[in-house]
Amino acid sequence: MKAQSENVIVAGVDGSPSSTAAAMWAADEAEYRGAALRLVQAYEVTVGFVGPGVMIPASMYDDVRHWAEIVLADVRKAVATAHPTLKITTQLRHDLPSAAMRQASPGACMTWVGSPGARQASDSATGPVPPPLAAPPHPPGAPTRPPLPPAPR
């Protein structure tokens, strides 16, 4: 089933410089197209082997969610400062980042994600676009790297 098209651009954020750069590029594109911007932050509690009978304290889940809320709010504030007339919505999802982006993207006119660098980006068979976003029915994806520091003089 094909998703109904929305005039929205989706950007995944995680607090990294590349995801913040992606959000800013997505905001520029949304403003240019007259679209809205949807910022998506996914969070999860990854648990390694702790041992039999060891429980993860509930406060850890709350702490991870709280951190994710702060990241999302900070990126939204930065984007809104740079683009005061842009309609910005946010989604905080308790899920894997790839799943959260897939769920937030159908129908969007474009999806933006951060790319930490050329080596990591080229490791994927789909190039810099994460495989879960490269397959239909998702809109075109645009990976973004953080801005480079000024060259030494």
Side-chain angles (χ1 to χ4, degrees):
M1 183 167 88
K2 187 173 179 176
Q4 188 174 18
S5 182
E6 298 178 71
N7 194 23
V8 65
I9 292 176
V10 177
V13 299
D14 64 7
S16 68
S18 60
S19 78
T20 301
M24 289 299 190
W25 276 89
D28 290 343
E29 188 68 20
E31 194 167 75
Y32 173 77
R33 291 175 179 243
L37 177 64
R38 179 181 304 142
L39 300 173
V40 179
Q41 163 75 46
Y43 71 97
E44 61 177 329
V45 178
T46 305
V47 181
F49 179 72
V50 179
V54 178
M55 299 294 292
I56 303 295
S59 63
M60 178 182 276
Y61 294 95
D62 295 339
D63 291 346
V64 171
R65 180 182 173 87
H66 179 70
W67 175 83
E69 288 170 345
I70 290 171
V71 167
L72 189 57
D74 287 351
V75 173
R76 186 191 191 294
K77 182 178 178 182
V79 170
T81 299
H83 299 273
T85 61
L86 184 62
K87 180 183 177 193
I88 305 167
T89 60
T90 60
Q91 285 186 1
L92 181 65
R93 304 184 73 94
H94 182 222
D95 209 339
L96 294 170
S98 58
M101 289 298 292
R102 283 184 66 84
Q103 292 170 5
S105 295
C109 56
M110 186 173 278
T111 301
W112 290 76
V113 294
S115 175
R119 180 176 296 137
Q120 292 91 333
S122 65
D123 288 344
S124 169
T126 58
V129 179
L133 294 178
H138 300 283
T144 307
R145 293 191 183 99
L148 295 174
R153 295 183 186 221

